[in-house]
Amino acid sequence: MPAISASACAKLILLGEHAVVYGEPALAVPFSGLRARAAVEAWIGAPSGRIHIFARDLDLDQEWSLLPENNLVRNALTLVLTELGIERLPTCKLNLTTEIPISSGLGASAALAVALMRAFSAFLGHPLDSERLNALAFESETLIHGRPSGIDNTVVVYEQPILFSKASGFEVIRSTDDFHLLVADSGVKKATALTVSQLAQDYSENPENIGAIIREIGSLTQAGVRALRMGDQPALGDALNRNQELLTLLNLSCPELDTLISAARQAGALGAKLTGGGKGGHMLALTAPDQLERVRNALLKAGARSVYHTVLKQEAANA
Ligand code: MEV
């Protein structure tokens, strides 16, 4: 029996991270070039009910049952078994890999869970549809992050540019131009759970100021959506820059990100900001095609560990 394989993409939050946790809208796009992959195959000859996990990037090479309760892989498999009402464990080997750096703002935890749940449910003969998969991926994110808004799992499952809010769910956004983004790694790892809980603490101590900032971020997201729909690159760049100022006021940036963001702007990027949980991880820079080489070189010179290029395509956004 051949292995059953599945994958899931990374994501980029263009506008609205953190504010989305407090009910504001946020704009996220898939980063399809970077993926997590899972493959499940029958384990012929092994004692029945044994599941072996091999995940080099997560440092795992062991029996499923020996993983700690709160482990992402264990939890994702349990969610699928429970959802499908399967009590008898299959006997299989599971291989999990990720090109998406962990704890770096690109949605690795959501992508790993989604790839795994896609492959495992298909192996069990009951591939999950997107809606059920998204609900399970949200539960997985809750275990990892504590208080997720749901934006990461949603953009990863549907792999479309989305405007998301906790109250309204998501809407696919159509853009009328190609938007080129450079995405650079600050080299600082930071778990999203930490920055989310730090902001929650600050919010409870200073509700008026922080609440006003969060609401302004929500308005910027709406301005960014209008810019995407109209193909207005400078307007999207301005929204990104202002969002970064507000994230800095929320104490979510860090010196490494600041250095990359100002290098990108000085080299001609239309706008630049951190993306995801912040305090490390990645930044993104909206860049006109004829400036890509210049901005990429500036980012590398300023200390970026890696620089990816991705395009939010007019066609893809129209899907
Ligand atoms: C993380 O990618 C985005 C945050 O807004 C957290 C969340 O929405 O769950 C920081």
Side-chain angles (χ1 to χ4, degrees):
M1 192 183 173
I4 304 266
S5 305
S7 70
C9 65
K11 66 88 190 80
L12 296 170
I13 297 194
L14 289 191
L15 292 160
E17 53 272 272
H18 286 284
V20 68
V21 172
Y22 297 95
E24 295 297 328
L27 178 60
V29 300
F31 185 174
S32 298
L34 270 190
R35 306 193 75 84
R37 298 174 205 279
V40 190
E41 62 181 320
W43 191 5
I44 313 291
S48 123
R50 294 274 291 275
I51 303 179
H52 189 88
I53 312 293
F54 181 65
R56 196 187 40 219
D57 309 304
L58 304 179
D59 240 353
L60 295 178
D61 184 3
Q62 67 193 87
E63 284 297 305
W64 172 69
S65 55
L66 300 177
L67 293 171
E69 291 272 316
N70 62 354
N71 176 272
L72 181 149
V73 175
R74 181 177 178 143
N75 189 51
L77 297 182
T78 308
L79 285 167
V80 171
L81 290 168
T82 310
E83 175 73 13
L84 298 179
I86 293 177
E87 281 166 17
R88 232 179 109 206
L89 291 182
T91 311
C92 59
K93 286 193 271 193
L94 209 147
N95 194 338
L96 193 59
T97 57
T98 178
E99 303 155 358
I100 311 167
I102 315 265
S103 294
S104 293
L106 301 186
S109 62
L112 281 163
V114 169
L116 190 56
M117 295 196 289
R118 274 188 177 138
F120 193 51
S121 62
F123 176 79
L124 295 169
H126 301 281
L128 292 165
D129 64 28
S130 297
E131 201 176 323
R132 283 167 94 194
L133 183 62
N134 196 27
L136 295 190
F138 178 71
E139 285 191 47
S140 171
E141 286 288 277
T142 303
L143 179 93
I144 305 299
H145 297 310
R147 195 183 171 184
S149 62
I151 190 170
D152 286 14
N153 48 282
T154 304
V155 69
V156 165
V157 165
Y158 291 94
E159 210 164 332
Q160 300 272 358
I162 57 166
L163 175 66
F164 175 93
S165 78
K166 289 210 293 197
S168 316
F170 76 98
E171 177 191 348
V172 174
I173 298 300
R174 296 156 186 261
S175 92
T176 52
D177 199 1
D178 289 351
F179 287 82
H180 290 257
L181 299 165
L182 290 173
V183 182
D185 186 358
S186 70
V188 180
K189 299 259 180 216
K190 188 63 73 180
T192 300
L194 289 179
T195 56
V196 169
S197 69
Q198 177 216 306
L199 181 59
Q201 172 76 27
D202 294 349
Y203 199 172
S204 68
E205 286 164 14
N206 194 353
E208 270 183 28
N209 279 354
I210 304 242
I213 293 172
I214 281 172
R215 286 190 295 281
E216 188 180 340
I217 292 177
S219 309
L220 282 174
T221 295
Q222 302 289 10
V225 168
R226 284 194 295 277
L228 268 193
R229 285 185 168 139
M230 295 170 68
D232 188 340
Q233 310 254 356
L236 182 60
D238 290 348
L240 298 178
N241 286 338
R242 178 65 184 151
N243 195 164
Q244 175 61 22
E245 278 175 26
L246 298 173
L247 288 163
T248 302
L249 288 177
L250 294 177
N251 194 23
L252 289 163
S253 198
C254 67
E256 293 82 354
L257 282 167
D258 293 344
T259 302
L260 296 183
I261 288 164
S262 67
R265 288 179 188 156
Q266 274 167 27
L270 294 162
K273 64 180 276 292
L274 68 84
T275 183
K279 282 265 171 205
H282 286 70
M283 54 74 72
L284 55 81
L286 176 68
T287 307
D290 61 348
Q291 298 295 315
L292 285 168
E293 213 39 48
R294 203 176 129 92
V295 175
R296 179 201 296 274
N297 289 337
L299 285 166
L300 289 169
K301 209 166 150 211
R305 302 298 162 95
S306 59
V307 181
Y308 307 106
H309 173 210
T310 184
V311 188
L312 172 58
K313 283 214 164 273
Q314 188 181 335
E315 301 80 41
N318 276 332

